Amino acid sequence: IIPVWSFLWSMAVWEYYDYSGERDALEEFWPAVTKNLRGAAAQLNVETLFEAPWWNLFEWADLDCDHRVVLYNTLFFVGAVDAAIKCGHVLEARDDLPWLETLARRLRAACARRFDAERGLFPDAVRADGASVWTRTGVHTQFLATLFDVAQGDDARRLLDRVERNTGELVDMASPFAFQFWAEAFEKAGREDLVIRGLRDRFAPMVEIGDTLWEALPGSRTSPPGYPTRS
């Protein structure tokens, strides 16, 4: 129903093992991990981009995600396959590793082909006629492309610079849930200073209220007048 959540589950399997070291749990989950990813691979289109008519949600930001091809689905697919490859090496799953490694390369190449050099950005979605969608481009696709190594080196730095200095040209994050991936991308780039500043800017207003953290970040487009809201 929500493709991103299926990919996050596969990523969570690796994260659980990485934290706990419970190899037995990894063995138990492995058949479901591979089934999940093979099912997702069956949804790839001729461009090797994930295409589905479902609720292509990442978070509550005002993104133009009402399309069958939304690029962050494929980017999270990359993250899920990378996580599965790590699991496969622990389990010595020699029968599964070759197709997973090939799939990761194909997915990365498909996403990279959608980069618009003139704009210096990735589009959020692709229309049925194959044209990139630029109506409301988000920071999300940009920082996920760097987090999952679709954009690397100087290209990744330039993308994160665009995200950092965004003054409204790109749709910003709307939820703490999205912030964790934003933070991981900047931490990976060695920008812990920006992560700490981002935490202060976005979470201090919640802490000052004193009751809870909120599903929508202060100032986000999903917040109606009278923040706080969406607890």
Side-chain angles (χ1 to χ4, degrees):
I1 296 173
I2 308 179
V4 166
W5 263 244
S6 290
F7 299 135
L8 289 173
W9 181 83
S10 293
M11 294 163 65
V13 170
W14 166 254
E15 290 168 355
Y16 179 78
Y17 169 78
D18 192 39
Y19 177 79
S20 70
E22 294 181 20
R23 195 178 191 278
D24 290 347
L26 202 59
E27 290 177 345
E28 178 184 351
F29 291 139
W30 183 245
V33 169
T34 55
K35 180 180 180 180
N36 187 33
L37 297 179
R38 288 187 185 276
Q43 301 298 311
L44 295 176
N45 64 15
V46 294
E47 270 194 86
T48 319
L49 295 174
F50 184 84
E51 179 172 345
W54 304 311
W55 190 14
N56 292 318
L57 172 79
F58 173 16
E59 61 126 353
W60 299 120
D62 185 27
L63 298 170
D64 188 9
C65 60
D66 190 22
H67 300 273
R68 290 177 61 94
V69 178
V70 178
L71 202 60
Y72 56 63
N73 278 343
T74 308
L75 291 168
F76 273 112
F77 197 172
V78 172
V81 174
D82 283 349
I85 290 170
K86 294 176 185 176
C87 295
H89 281 296
V90 172
L91 296 174
E92 299 180 350
R94 295 183 179 88
D95 291 340
D96 293 307
L97 282 169
W99 74 265
L100 286 169
E101 290 166 349
T102 299
L103 179 58
R105 288 193 295 271
R106 291 178 62 216
L107 292 171
R108 280 196 172 88
C111 290
R113 284 193 292 270
R114 277 289 162 179
F115 182 73
D116 189 302
E118 185 176 344
R119 288 182 170 89
L121 295 168
F122 286 93
D124 280 349
V126 179
R127 292 199 320 239
D129 64 3
S132 295
V133 176
W134 297 101
T135 50
R136 295 192 302 278
T137 307
V139 297
H140 310 66
T141 306
Q142 320 314 318
F143 64 71
L144 290 173
T146 69
L147 178 60
F148 297 129
D149 291 322
V150 170
Q152 301 181 48
D154 290 340
D155 292 337
R157 283 188 288 273
R158 281 191 288 268
L159 272 180
L160 290 179
D161 285 345
R162 292 286 292 274
V163 172
E164 179 186 0
R165 67 173 186 262
N166 179 37
T167 57
E169 63 165 337
L170 301 173
V171 178
D172 204 359
M173 296 173 291
S175 73
F177 171 68
F179 179 87
Q180 79 176 54
F181 300 99
W182 178 96
E184 286 180 21
F186 279 101
E187 182 184 30
K188 181 178 178 179
R191 294 298 311 276
E192 292 89 348
D193 59 323
L194 189 62
V195 175
I196 292 170
R197 191 169 78 227
L199 282 165
R200 288 174 175 150
D201 291 345
R202 292 174 171 88
F203 288 86
M206 303 188 201
V207 175
E208 289 166 1
I209 294 168
D211 294 327
T212 186
L213 298 181
W214 301 90
E215 190 176 6
L217 292 167
S220 64
R221 294 188 185 183
T222 62
S223 298
Y227 175 86
T229 185
R230 299 175 72 91
S231 174

